[in-house]
């Protein structure tokens, strides 16, 4: 099976779209996840800066090198404790939704945020209150996505309220819309409690929401100081054989985007 591999654009060192596209193409990769503010710090990308022209320029720059913009990354804290700040962040995501098609893209992606202002691991995220705040915010994003025919791609992980495969399934049930789909990052679901039983984590994920997976993130992990530490693909313990076997049978040509993988590790993938 030939994998449909891509990479996060901001893991490429250049900050010009044509240079990024050239570098991605030269590595034999066919797609990117494009987080505008991270890839283009010298361009205005704040809310209100996007336009059809902006999107078409980016689409053309990447398509010249046969590189697809698989996901527009708009990673926001959708449950920010400051309600006004939360509204601003949701407005930013909605703007990405409105212009996604001009980028030649059908998915706008995010994780589910943090109950605190500072992002990072906290068990405060693992409450019913945090989950319901996520549901409320995602409902608003999905309503916007319906207007434009765009997918809201949600990524789970232990640093966020949607921190288990079971909670991802519950989110999909609570927001019953085909506009809501899953960006699956198996490393994000690994914890000190389950990393030695990865087969179960993969199996549960595929059974609970496999049919809703629209893209996959690929990174790896090791155990350091009795905690999960993310590392480049192929440098850790993740059982990619489980993932690739499932892709071959169930998700041909799904875009697999390298994450946390920069030079010199890209060429080793």
């Amino acid at each position: 099976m030939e994998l449909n591999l891509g990479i996060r654009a901001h893991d490429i060192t250049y900050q010009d779209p044509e240079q990024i596209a050239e570098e991605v193409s030269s590595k034999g990769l066919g797609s990117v996840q494009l987080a505008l503010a991270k890839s283009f710090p010298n361009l205005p990308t704040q809310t209100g800066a996007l336009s059809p022209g902006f999107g078409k320029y980016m689409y053309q720059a990447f398509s010249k090198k046969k590189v697809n913009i698989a996901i527009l990354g708009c990673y926001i804290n959708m449950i920010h404790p400051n309600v006004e700040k939360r509204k601003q962040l949701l407005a930013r995501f909605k703007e990405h939704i409105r212009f996604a098609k001009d980028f030649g893209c059908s998915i706008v992606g995010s994780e589910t945020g943090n109950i605190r202002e500072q992002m990072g691991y906290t068990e405060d995220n693992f409450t019913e209150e945090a989950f319901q705040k996520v549901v409320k915010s995602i409902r608003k994003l999905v309503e916007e996505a319906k207007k434009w025919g765009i997918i809201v791609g949600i990524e789970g992980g232990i640093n966020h309220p949607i921190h288990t495969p079971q909670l991802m399934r519950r989110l999909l049930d609570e927001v019953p819309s085909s506009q809501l789909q899953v960006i699956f990052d198996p490393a994000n679901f690994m914890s000190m409690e389950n990393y030695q039983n990865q087969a179960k984590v993969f199996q549960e994920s595929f059974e609970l929401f496999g049919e809703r997976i629209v893209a996959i993130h690929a990174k790896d992990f090791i155990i350091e100081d009795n905690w999960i530490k993310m590392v480049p693909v192929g440098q850790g313990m993740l059982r990619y054989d489980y993932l690739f076997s499932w892709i071959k049978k169930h998700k041909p040509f799904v875009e697999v985007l390298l994450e946390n993988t920069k030079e010199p590790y890209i060429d080793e993938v």
Side-chain angles (χ1 to χ4, degrees):
M1 175 189 64
E2 186 173 335
L3 282 175
N4 191 4
L5 281 177
I7 193 168
R8 293 190 308 189
H10 60 275
D11 286 332
I12 302 296
T13 54
Y14 298 112
Q15 296 178 359
D16 175 82
E18 294 190 2
Q19 287 181 305
I20 295 172
E22 173 68 37
E23 183 73 3
V24 170
S25 179
S26 74
K27 300 295 183 185
L29 303 172
S31 59
V32 292
Q33 173 169 307
L34 191 62
L36 299 174
K38 291 182 178 181
S39 285
F40 311 120
N42 297 322
L43 274 180
T45 58
Q46 72 277 9
T47 308
L50 299 191
S51 66
F54 191 119
K56 289 170 186 173
Y57 173 79
M58 292 296 170
Y59 169 74
Q60 291 166 1
F62 283 92
S63 63
K64 282 178 189 174
K65 297 298 180 181
K66 298 183 178 179
V67 175
N68 171 48
I69 300 175
I71 301 172
L72 269 186
C74 187
Y75 280 66
I76 60 170
N77 186 356
M78 63 178 64
I79 57 169
H80 196 289
N82 182 306
V83 174
E84 190 56 39
K85 178 66 174 176
R86 190 188 312 167
K87 288 180 181 176
Q88 294 170 6
L89 292 168
L90 292 175
R92 178 174 177 80
F93 196 103
K94 289 177 182 179
E95 182 177 74
H96 280 62
I97 288 171
R98 289 194 293 276
F99 295 108
K101 285 190 174 179
D102 295 304
F103 289 82
C105 181
S106 60
I107 305 169
V108 182
S110 182
E111 293 163 324
T112 52
N114 198 299
I115 204 76
R116 298 180 179 178
E117 185 169 356
Q118 189 72 25
M119 300 295 282
Y121 180 85
T122 171
E123 293 187 4
D124 291 347
N125 281 331
F126 304 164
T127 64
E128 181 65 16
E129 178 189 10
F131 177 84
Q132 290 301 332
K133 286 183 176 180
V134 169
V135 169
K136 185 176 180 180
S137 288
I138 288 180
R139 281 181 178 151
K140 294 176 181 178
L141 299 179
V142 165
E143 281 302 310
E144 188 71 18
K146 286 179 181 177
K147 301 173 187 175
W148 301 90
I150 296 298
I151 291 168
V152 175
I154 292 299
E155 180 180 351
I158 64 169
N159 287 347
H160 306 277
I162 308 302
H163 59 96
T164 66
Q166 290 75 18
L167 281 169
M168 181 64 81
R169 179 66 253 176
R170 186 180 169 205
L171 175 65
L172 294 170
D173 292 338
E174 293 264 352
V175 188
S177 170
S178 57
Q179 311 301 137
L180 178 61
Q181 302 287 335
V182 178
I183 299 170
F184 180 48
D185 187 331
N188 279 2
F189 284 122
M190 295 300 147
S191 67
M192 293 304 296
E193 289 71 38
N194 69 16
Y195 79 92
Q196 292 179 314
N197 193 7
Q198 293 186 43
K200 182 180 179 183
V201 178
F202 276 98
Q203 183 178 353
E204 289 176 343
S205 298
F206 297 146
E207 289 177 355
L208 290 167
F209 54 81
E211 78 284 358
R212 302 290 288 275
I213 293 173
V214 291
I216 292 170
H217 281 171
K219 59 178 178 276
D220 220 322
F221 75 95
I222 59 174
I223 305 301
E224 186 175 279
D225 297 326
N226 202 37
W227 197 247
I228 301 286
K229 179 183 178 181
M230 300 304 173
V231 295
V233 172
Q235 304 300 308
M237 307 166 63
L238 194 77
R239 291 293 304 270
Y240 273 100
D241 53 327
Y242 297 147
L243 178 64
F244 295 155
S245 175
W246 179 80
I247 289 174
K248 184 176 182 180
K249 293 178 182 177
H250 301 284
K251 284 282 177 177
F253 310 115
V254 67
E255 284 158 322
V256 179
L257 299 153
L258 305 179
E259 185 173 306
N260 282 57
T261 303
K262 301 182 179 183
E263 293 290 19
Y265 299 104
I266 298 172
D267 289 333
E268 297 179 15
V269 175

